[in-house]
Amino acid sequence: AYRWRQPRRARAADVAFLTTRTADLGLYLAAGAALAGGAGTLDLGALPDAASPWLHLVTAGIVTAALGKSAQLPFSFWLSRAMEGPSPVSALLHSATMVAAGAYLVLRLHPLLAVTGWAGPLVAWTGALTALALGVVAVAQQDLKQLLAASTSSQIGFMVLAAGSGGVAAGTTQLVAHAATKSGLFLAAGAWLAALGTKSLPALRGAARRHRLVGIAFTAGALTLAGLPPLSLWAAKDEVLAVARAESAAWYAVGLAAAAVAAVYSAKALWFVTRPLPEDPEAGYDTERRGTRRVARTAPAPLLALTGAAAVLGVLALPGPASWLKHLAGAPGEPSPKPWELGLSTGVVLAAAALAWWGAPHSVPAPRAAVRWAQDWLHLERVADAVLVRPVLRLARALAAFDDRVVDGAVRQTARGGLVLARLAGRVDDGAVDGAVRALVSGARALGRLARRPQTGLLHQYYAQAAVGFAVLVLILLLVR
């Protein structure tokens, strides 16, 4: 709606809207199945009481809606398309509120996932694989907003992993810390876009030096996003990984790999914006729109507030606050990371960040097809187009042709038959009915003319007519008798 005159952006809005709304159909399925399954209410706490097989339909509907809303696999591509919107909208909806709603839903309904048996592992694997795969997508991006969008799907994957493995408090900590971190990063990206007119990473070289306050906020957010100690997402991710390790070593391994990838894409973004300014920085500006070359006066306050929150919200993982949060979430026995886990994750993240920082100026040897695959968000939109959109459109065209040729054809033939019958009825009416009426009228007129002839006005003729009539009546009486 903001750039509705540009067809490309309007189509991107359609994709984002229709994808999330299609996933939302799962909530309608869940609501209907809950009522049909005897729950008698849509209260969240009563949903696990639905009878089987309705219980599984309730769970499937909620899981589908949650994964779609939070841009998890295979729905992740809609978040890339949503980046066509203004940066403040991206900061609010696509990092802090809307896109986190699905993660909140599965965290809130963990008892429902647990009672089905299959939903918990499915959600955990989806979150773990999304965290890893979309992290790789973020590494391949050359657009800052696309990098942040892919990292959002990746980071929410940790929350979904926590929900599937029973880490409600850990997932909540990740949710809160990530919301503050990513909102600040999106606002910093938006400030640069407004000032410099570009969001291309190569064109943003030295942006943190040119606009230092925004650069400081972005640096703090990027280090937090990388999971470096002692910042908030470092502690939050270790809480999630501890819960995942307690349930499955495979989940822990994939989550740890995703944490390393997070350090890579965060270091990559930070490397570009902190480079010395090139000789002619203006040459790369204004690729999106004409920049103002200044940061708005309203930008520093929210940037600093979000940066401070991103840095300190890790206190929720400290023993005291963590215990309080676990009791609040109803999970007092949720495991906490052991010292060796903290050390291992810290070492992995630091090593990944260092390698990314060192390798940022150099192109990493990788097949071009794999790079294009990652840059295009795993071709997920193409797959959805081939598997869902095209068959639906073909079906719609076939139904439209059936409607035009068969249904409308039957209506048209019925109308033609009605016209033929109407013409036939018109002929019958004109020839027979109207003819009979005309004949009756003619006969009545003839009788009228005959009846007028005796009316001469001569008295002797009236007497003669009366005598004749009287004689006829007498004759009739005689004959009848």
Side-chain angles (χ1 to χ4, degrees):
Y2 186 70
R3 298 186 177 95
W4 58 274
R5 293 180 182 275
Q6 301 178 30
R8 175 176 63 88
R9 298 183 188 273
R11 175 171 170 76
D14 291 341
V15 171
F17 175 77
L18 291 173
T19 305
T20 54
R21 291 303 292 156
T22 300
D24 286 343
L25 294 176
L27 290 179
Y28 295 93
L29 172 66
L35 296 178
T41 178
L42 296 181
D43 183 85
L44 297 181
L47 294 181
D49 298 330
S52 183
W54 300 106
L55 173 65
H56 299 285
L57 284 177
V58 172
T59 308
I62 287 176
V63 167
T64 300
L67 298 181
K69 185 66 72 178
S70 287
Q72 300 295 285
L73 292 174
F75 304 99
S76 305
F77 62 89
W78 76 259
L79 191 57
S80 171
R81 304 288 265 160
M83 291 303 103
E84 297 286 353
S87 295
V89 176
S90 301
L92 176 65
L93 291 183
H94 305 135
S95 64
T97 52
M98 180 185 130
V99 78
Y104 167 79
L105 184 61
V106 287
L107 287 168
R108 177 68 178 80
L109 290 175
H110 173 259
L112 180 65
L113 305 182
V115 76
T116 58
W118 58 267
L122 173 65
V123 167
W125 272 116
T126 302
L129 294 176
T130 301
L132 181 58
L134 270 296
V136 173
V137 169
V139 172
Q141 300 304 310
Q142 294 297 312
D143 181 291
L144 181 55
K145 284 185 68 175
Q146 289 292 327
L147 184 150
L148 294 177
S151 73
T152 295
S153 289
S154 176
Q155 294 293 321
I156 291 177
F158 285 100
M159 306 173 206
V160 175
L161 169 61
S165 55
V168 179
T172 303
T173 305
Q174 173 77 8
L175 188 152
V176 174
H178 173 261
T181 304
K182 193 55 65 62
S183 295
L185 289 171
F186 265 116
L187 284 178
W192 281 328
L193 176 59
L196 307 177
T198 184
K199 48 192 176 69
S200 170
L201 280 173
L204 287 173
R205 287 174 181 262
R209 297 171 182 256
R210 180 164 184 165
H211 300 283
R212 294 186 179 276
L213 185 59
V214 179
I216 292 171
F218 187 87
T219 299
L223 294 176
T224 305
L225 186 65
L228 296 178
L231 302 172
S232 60
L233 284 177
W234 167 71
K237 284 179 186 174
D238 279 329
E239 290 284 331
V240 173
L241 292 176
V243 175
R245 189 187 66 82
E247 294 295 324
S248 169
W251 295 347
Y252 177 77
V254 176
L256 190 61
V261 175
V264 173
Y265 58 68
S266 301
K268 173 185 175 180
L270 193 58
W271 186 90
F272 275 102
V273 300
T274 56
R275 292 297 88 196
L277 281 167
E279 293 182 1
D280 185 17
E282 299 283 337
Y285 296 163
D286 303 327
T287 58
E288 297 285 327
R289 61 183 186 184
R290 181 67 183 173
T292 61
R293 301 299 184 267
R294 60 182 179 83
V295 175
R297 294 180 180 179
T298 55
L303 276 173
L304 293 176
L306 291 168
T307 300
V312 304
L313 280 173
V315 299
L316 292 175
L318 296 178
S323 178
W324 167 80
L325 183 59
K326 290 173 183 178
H327 281 282
L328 184 65
E334 196 171 298
S336 297
K338 294 179 170 55
W340 69 265
E341 293 179 77
L342 295 171
L344 175 60
S345 67
T346 300
V348 167
V349 166
L350 287 173
L355 287 173
W357 188 270
W358 174 80
H362 313 287
S363 58
V364 179
R368 290 185 179 181
V371 173
R372 288 195 299 269
W373 177 70
Q375 288 178 338
D376 196 32
W377 286 62
L378 314 181
H379 299 322
L380 291 173
E381 186 173 350
R382 296 186 184 182
V383 173
D385 187 68
V387 173
L388 184 62
V389 176
R390 292 179 188 172
V392 168
L393 289 177
R394 280 197 293 268
L395 177 61
R397 293 189 188 99
L399 290 175
F402 176 81
D403 179 67
D404 290 340
R405 297 172 184 173
V406 179
V407 179
D408 281 2
V411 172
R412 286 192 293 269
Q413 292 302 323
T414 302
R416 290 193 184 101
L419 289 174
V420 171
L421 290 176
R423 293 189 187 100
L424 179 61
R427 292 172 184 172
V428 171
D429 179 67
D430 292 340
V433 179
D434 284 1
V437 171
R438 284 193 295 269
L440 181 62
V441 171
S442 298
R445 285 176 179 172
L447 289 175
R449 284 193 293 269
L450 292 175
R452 284 198 304 272
R453 289 182 179 179
Q455 308 299 320
T456 62
L458 300 176
L459 186 61
H460 65 279
Q461 289 184 358
Y462 291 158
Y463 278 121
Q465 292 173 12
V468 173
F470 182 74
V472 171
L473 289 174
V474 171
L475 183 61
I476 291 174
L477 289 173
L478 293 174
L479 292 174
V480 170
R481 282 189 171 188

